[in-house]
Amino acid sequence: MTKETDRSAADQEAPSASAPTSAAPARIQRKPRLALFIATAAGLGYLPKAPGTWGSLAGLAFAIVPSCLYFGSDTPHLATPGNVGEFSVNVPPGYFNKFVWEYIFLFVFVSVIGVWAADRAAEFWRQRDPCRVVIDEVSGQLLTLLLGCGIPLWWKVPNLRYATLAPGFIIMRSVLNWKYLLLGFILFRVFDIWKPFPARQAESLPGGWGIMADDWIAAIYAGLGLWLARAYGL
């Protein structure tokens, strides 16, 4: 072997020896802990059975807690039971409107951060729609109750003692009704699994949008069903 051969062989070996050193950092992906925490709804998505159901239950909790806070003992209103389970209410103007805007903000916040977290989680796990991502169910359940309980039944208002169309009061009074919570939960799970048009088509959207959008569409169907149930006297 000549010196030139030795030099050319050394030149060929040098890149191969240095290649793993430069390529190794590219293969290392930091675990997006915050995104996974949000995407799995604080770890509910890791539960071995029915993670989507647990995510929907988390959405119910998000809906109930604000209502309970507004109907708590420190709120500026007087609520006394009526003959048919209604309330006699005395509140400052705009009190319930403030609530409904806060509820809308909660839904939008969960949805926006859910798109980001779902996208990061799907990229980390290298799956298009990981079953462990349940923030979409949380967002969808919130939207179901927002639509199904927040839209007033205007033709029934004159028969109610509080006689108000304030969406904030309507949604609080409805969300605190266990029948509406149960029906909203069941309807959303049914439509989320069924995925009627265009929910399944929405799954083809890129990244986190595809993970979240199909649940929003399922929530619109479920919210409409819940509103109709209220309209027919449930």
Side-chain angles (χ1 to χ4, degrees), residues 58-205:
L60 287 181
F62 267 105
I64 294 172
V65 170
S67 297
C68 291
L69 292 177
Y70 267 72
F71 265 147
S73 58
D74 296 332
T75 54
H77 74 279
L78 175 63
T80 56
N83 295 330
V84 289
E86 297 170 356
F87 294 95
S88 174
V89 182
N90 182 16
V91 295
Y95 178 74
F96 294 119
N97 290 334
K98 177 184 176 184
F99 168 80
V100 77
W101 281 111
E102 290 180 0
Y103 192 98
I104 292 172
F105 173 81
L106 177 64
F107 162 70
V108 173
F109 176 77
V110 171
S111 300
V112 171
I113 199 172
V115 171
W116 169 79
D119 185 71
R120 294 291 304 276
E123 181 181 359
F124 177 74
W125 283 321
R126 299 176 185 273
Q127 296 176 6
R128 185 176 184 84
D129 189 357
C131 62
R132 288 169 286 188
V133 175
V134 297
I135 191 64
D136 50 338
E137 275 81 12
V138 176
S139 176
Q141 190 67 71
L142 282 172
L143 182 58
T144 296
L145 296 176
L146 178 62
L147 296 177
C149 295
I151 300 176
L153 304 175
W154 57 88
W155 64 91
K156 290 190 175 184
V157 166
N159 298 325
L160 299 179
R161 288 169 41 173
Y162 52 82
T164 178
L165 279 172
F169 185 75
I170 299 296
I171 193 170
M172 275 195 290
R173 184 175 181 274
S174 301
V175 166
L176 292 178
N177 187 321
W178 68 269
K179 292 185 294 184
Y180 297 149
L181 289 174
L182 179 60
L183 181 59
F185 172 77
I186 293 174
L187 286 174
F188 174 67
R189 292 305 299 144
V190 168
F191 285 112
D192 188 26
I193 295 171
W194 179 19
K195 298 189 184 304
F197 178 85
R200 195 169 299 278
Q201 288 75 8
E203 291 181 314
S204 62
L205 293 173

